[in-house]
Amino acid sequence: DTAVSQTPKYLVTQMGNDKSIKCEQNLGHDTMYWYKQDSKKFLKIMFSYNNKELIINETVPNRFSPKSPDKAHLNLHINSLELGDSAVYFCASSQDWGNEQFFGPGTRLTVL
Amino acid sequence: RKEVEQDPGPFNVPEGATVAFNCTYSNSASQSFFWYRQDCRKEPKLLMSVYSSGNEDGRFTAQLNRASQYISLLIRDSKLSDSATYLCVVIDSGNTPLVFGKGTRLSVIA
């Protein structure tokens, strides 16, 4: 009964490719998030959606495009991948903005 | 830019020791505070919410000092299994970005 799931868990790809990461939560939460954790372990918020509406876009390059088809899903599409995009990407959800968050297991992206 | 600062450590302590971490924040209007724990190559997991009155959960005590703008986490009787990185989270009112601290690494040694 995974609460927040992400696929794939590992993603290795070449520079310039386009890739997507999927996230689903079965907690009935209204708010979902995408975070990037770089090699220095700094966890930085990228996007947040509340009831399928984008509420935070933290100066992320427009190569990154989140899509929320419904409250339970928040996918992340990345165009023209660059070396600096290599990181672990975490999806999370919370009942509402400002509540405790539940994280997915992360997607380890490696761009070669 | 709003800042959240944590001592990165590492804190190396023997089993049974008491250890405390602080997390300072710059925005006096911040309203919600949390401590998360992250094990190596795992996702962050909520450890405790931090309330104005402070809160305790077993060996863990979290406190908020609004006047000096910091939150603290106290771990008593440290166990080997407490070894992890501890992240503080500060959330402002409304839909402003929430900020994770960079984490404090704790190693409990036998």
Side-chain angles (χ1 to χ4, degrees), chain B residues 6-63:
Chain B
Q6 287 186 256
D7 183 340
F11 284 61
N12 299 316
V13 303
E15 274 187 289
T18 295
V19 61
F21 314 132
N22 284 344
C23 171
T24 60
Y25 60 94
S26 60
N27 186 356
S28 59
S30 298
Q31 294 199 340
S32 301
F33 309 88
F34 302 90
W35 282 103
Y36 281 76
R37 170 195 169 128
Q38 186 173 24
D39 293 292
C40 187
R41 301 181 76 86
K42 297 286 189 181
E43 71 272 23
K45 291 184 178 176
L46 179 73
L47 180 65
M48 301 179 78
S49 302
V50 187
Y51 305 122
S52 296
S53 55
N55 52 315
E56 187 173 317
D57 182 5
R59 298 181 293 108
F60 298 83
T61 301
Q63 292 195 314

Side-chain angles (χ1 to χ4, degrees), chain A residues 10 33 35 37 40-45 55-56 58 90 97-106 108, chain B residues 1 32 34 36 38 41-46 49 87 89 91-98 100-102:
Chain A
Y10 298 96
Y33 312 79
Y35 289 89
Q37 189 167 46
K40 295 183 180 176
K41 309 299 182 189
F42 182 36
L43 194 65
K44 190 170 176 3
I45 190 167
I55 58 171
I56 286 177
E58 267 294 282
F90 287 103
W97 176 259
N99 298 141
E100 63 179 277
Q101 296 176 58
F102 295 81
F103 283 79
R108 186 171 295 274
Chain B
R1 176 75 180 155
S32 301
F34 302 90
Y36 281 76
Q38 186 173 24
R41 301 181 76 86
K42 297 286 189 181
E43 71 272 23
K45 291 184 178 176
L46 179 73
S49 302
L87 305 162
V89 182
I91 300 178
D92 300 330
S93 60
N95 291 337
T96 52
L98 57 78
F100 271 81
K102 294 187 178 181

